[in-house]
Amino acid sequence: MAFELLVARGQIDPQGPEADRFIAGSLKDVTMHEIGHALGLRHNFKASTGITRSQLRDKAFTALRGVSNSVMDYNALNLPLADETDADLQMGSLGAYDMWAIEYGYRDFPADREAAGLAAIAQRSDTDISLAYATDEDASTPDPLVNRYDLGDDPLAYAQRQMKLSRELWNRTQARTLAANDDMTIYRRVLQRVFAGINATVPLATRYVGGSIHSRALAGKNEPLIAPVPAARQREALNFVVNELFTTQSFKFDPKILSRLGIDQLDRISARSQTSTDYSLAQAVLGVQRSALDALMSEALASRMADAEHKVDNPKTLMSFADVQTRLSGAIWAELRDGKTSGREVDSLRRNLQREHIKRLATGLLRPAASSGNADAPAVNRMVARQLESELRGALSAGGWSNMARAHLEDSLAMISEALKAPLNKQGV
């Protein structure tokens, strides 16, 4: 995606020396990473958080220090926004963490001073943010600072940048004039890369909601090992997901371009993966939205948010699972509250999202998972479902809907009403 955008901006000629330098930089980055493994280093998915956003835009800084503090991170490309200054795109040298870890592993000490010498090296990480560390096992925790393929000290800000870059690429592609003898595979290829970029923002944002910052501190530092993400940051992340992925205007594309998404028939791998020359925008959008709903409507999230109440002095300062579900439902079903009395419509992308939301609510009511041991999720699902049932009835009574919208809303009402009336299926009983 980055290469395609740089070409679209006119910063790289695909057949020129800039393209060769781009490829060589990527090869150097991955070679340093693999040699690091050969020397005994593990992944460090927190290394990029030790570099600030302003430092990433400083050419002198990135030339000297790189775009991350370790080649052992899965570092994203340091792509500037359209109005930002250029700096190094890739990790061009070893980072501060790499030098420190190698020193700890390979420095020689006299036998009688080895323990003290190694302890002194290790203690540098207590005060030096450039030595932050989190590896593969940490990547499965709800720590929003531990990610693959991000950059900078604020992963949520990086997600917001990535969304802007993805949309810039698509807008430039839509405005691009093709030669008369060009085929139109460029449109499909770019659109797929755009959706890959948008998809990458989902885990970066959703990990903040109900997330917690994890530490490897020893007892002497007198700090918590697990600290819930502040409520303001959780709300900021939730608002990002809602505003970018769940609103009516989120995925508006030029119909003329969507009818010109060609397939490269000579690309055998791509051709085999396509069941039709058509491209389903609806399925691409729903794929992104499902990923977000998976994270934000899960019983695992309900359990984490309940557990967080015991890790702070005042639980009222935190977001609750009910707060999250109320916000989601309000955004997903915004058409029910638009105040119109005629010409009311729900487009196909919104209908897909709303069906997905209804299905998850109904499933949560009828078959709550037994493994989590937390009853908050089914209780909140029932509260949200009752509110939604009432709003659906009111919206249908008000009228003014198109035939397709009315059919969709009546079906949604039937599904949620039946789920609310049905007996609970308790697993394991």
Side-chain angles (χ1 to χ4, degrees):
M1 192 197 87
F3 186 87
E4 199 78 63
L5 181 54
L6 292 171
V7 170
R9 288 176 177 174
Q11 295 178 262
I12 286 183
D13 175 358
Q15 306 303 323
E18 303 93 346
D20 290 338
R21 285 193 291 271
F22 182 96
I23 294 168
S26 295
L27 289 173
K28 180 181 179 181
D29 189 351
V30 75
T31 300
M32 290 188 294
H33 178 101
E34 301 307 336
I35 290 175
H37 282 315
L39 293 173
L41 300 189
R42 299 195 65 192
H43 291 137
N44 182 0
F45 297 133
K46 212 168 189 175
S48 58
T49 61
I51 306 292
T52 68
R53 284 167 284 169
S54 61
Q55 288 170 334
L56 288 173
R57 303 271 53 85
D58 183 342
K59 176 71 173 177
F61 178 90
T62 59
L64 179 65
R65 292 277 305 274
V67 301
S68 174
N69 282 309
S70 178
V71 298
M72 304 312 297
D73 203 339
Y74 286 0
N75 294 307
L77 293 175
N78 185 28
L79 190 62
L81 297 175
D83 59 349
E84 289 182 330
T85 57
D86 290 335
D88 289 68
L89 284 169
Q90 296 124 325
M91 193 68 184
S93 61
L94 299 179
Y97 168 84
D98 305 316
M99 304 299 290
W100 174 70
I102 288 297
E103 181 183 8
Y104 184 90
Y106 287 90
R107 182 174 174 180
D108 285 332
F109 290 97
D112 62 336
R113 297 207 301 271
E114 182 177 66
L118 291 176
I121 294 173
Q123 284 171 2
R124 294 181 206 161
S125 64
D126 289 346
T127 56
D128 190 344
I129 188 64
S130 68
L131 306 182
Y133 173 74
T135 191
D136 297 78
E137 293 83 1
D138 302 296
S140 62
T141 68
D143 187 339
L145 300 182
V146 184
N147 301 292
R148 300 173 177 89
Y149 302 112
D150 69 330
L151 280 181
D153 56 354
D154 188 341
L156 181 55
Y158 178 80
Q160 294 164 338
R161 291 173 56 85
Q162 188 72 6
M163 187 67 74
K164 292 178 182 177
L165 292 167
S166 298
R167 290 190 166 144
E168 181 196 346
L169 174 58
W170 182 243
N171 290 335
R172 287 181 179 273
T173 302
Q174 289 188 125
R176 177 175 174 175
T177 300
L178 300 183
N181 61 345
D182 280 344
D183 64 32
M184 291 186 279
T185 58
I186 178 68
Y187 294 133
R188 180 186 292 259
R189 182 172 72 242
V190 168
L191 186 57
Q192 289 172 331
R193 290 174 180 172
V194 165
F195 271 101
I198 293 173
N199 255 315
T201 70
V202 174
L204 295 176
T206 56
R207 285 165 73 96
Y208 278 88
V209 182
S212 52
I213 308 300
H214 293 211
S215 169
R216 292 172 177 266
L218 298 178
K221 291 195 71 174
N222 192 30
E223 66 178 38
L225 295 180
I226 299 176
V229 173
R233 286 294 274 168
Q234 294 192 47
R235 289 192 184 92
E236 183 183 358
L238 182 59
N239 287 336
F240 168 77
V241 173
V242 165
N243 295 333
E244 295 289 352
L245 306 182
F246 293 158
T247 56
T248 303
Q249 299 300 318
S250 296
F251 299 99
K252 293 294 185 182
F253 298 101
D254 184 350
K256 182 179 69 175
I257 301 298
L258 291 181
S259 65
R260 290 165 168 76
L261 302 179
I263 290 181
D264 183 355
Q265 299 291 354
L266 297 180
D267 184 342
R268 305 307 302 168
I269 295 176
S270 176
R272 282 198 300 270
S273 69
Q274 302 292 338
T275 58
S276 168
T277 56
D278 197 5
Y279 180 89
S280 175
L281 177 67
Q283 289 304 307
V285 171
L286 191 58
V288 175
Q289 293 170 336
R290 279 174 173 158
S291 297
L293 291 175
D294 283 343
L296 296 174
M297 294 186 71
S298 70
E299 294 203 354
L301 176 61
S303 293
R304 287 201 307 272
M305 298 187 91
D307 288 342
E309 296 177 12
H310 308 291
K311 296 181 176 69
V312 295
D313 293 330
N314 183 6
K316 292 181 179 180
T317 61
L318 298 176
M319 280 190 75
S320 70
F321 189 70
D323 294 334
V324 175
Q325 301 316 308
T326 300
R327 179 76 173 93
L328 284 181
S329 184
I332 292 170
W333 295 91
E335 290 87 345
L336 303 183
R337 310 173 192 87
D338 62 11
K340 294 181 181 178
T341 57
S342 63
R344 305 177 79 181
E345 186 57 89
V346 184
D347 68 40
S348 62
L349 299 185
R350 296 284 294 169
R351 295 196 300 269
N352 286 342
L353 172 61
Q354 290 167 1
R355 289 188 192 104
E356 196 68 28
H357 183 247
I358 283 277
K359 288 177 188 175
R360 290 163 187 269
L361 276 180
T363 300
L365 288 171
L366 299 174
R367 294 191 299 274
S371 58
S372 69
N374 182 276
D376 286 347
V380 170
N381 285 337
R382 187 167 296 278
M383 177 192 73
V384 172
R386 288 195 182 282
Q387 177 65 27
L388 181 55
E389 181 186 40
S390 174
E391 291 179 343
L392 284 165
R393 290 188 193 280
L396 284 165
S397 296
W401 299 99
S402 71
N403 288 337
M404 188 67 248
R406 173 167 285 279
H408 163 66
L409 297 179
E410 287 179 349
D411 183 63
S412 299
L413 176 59
M415 182 178 293
I416 203 68
S417 296
E418 290 167 8
L420 284 166
K421 293 174 186 175
L424 184 65
N425 180 11
K426 295 183 179 180
Q427 296 185 10
V429 178

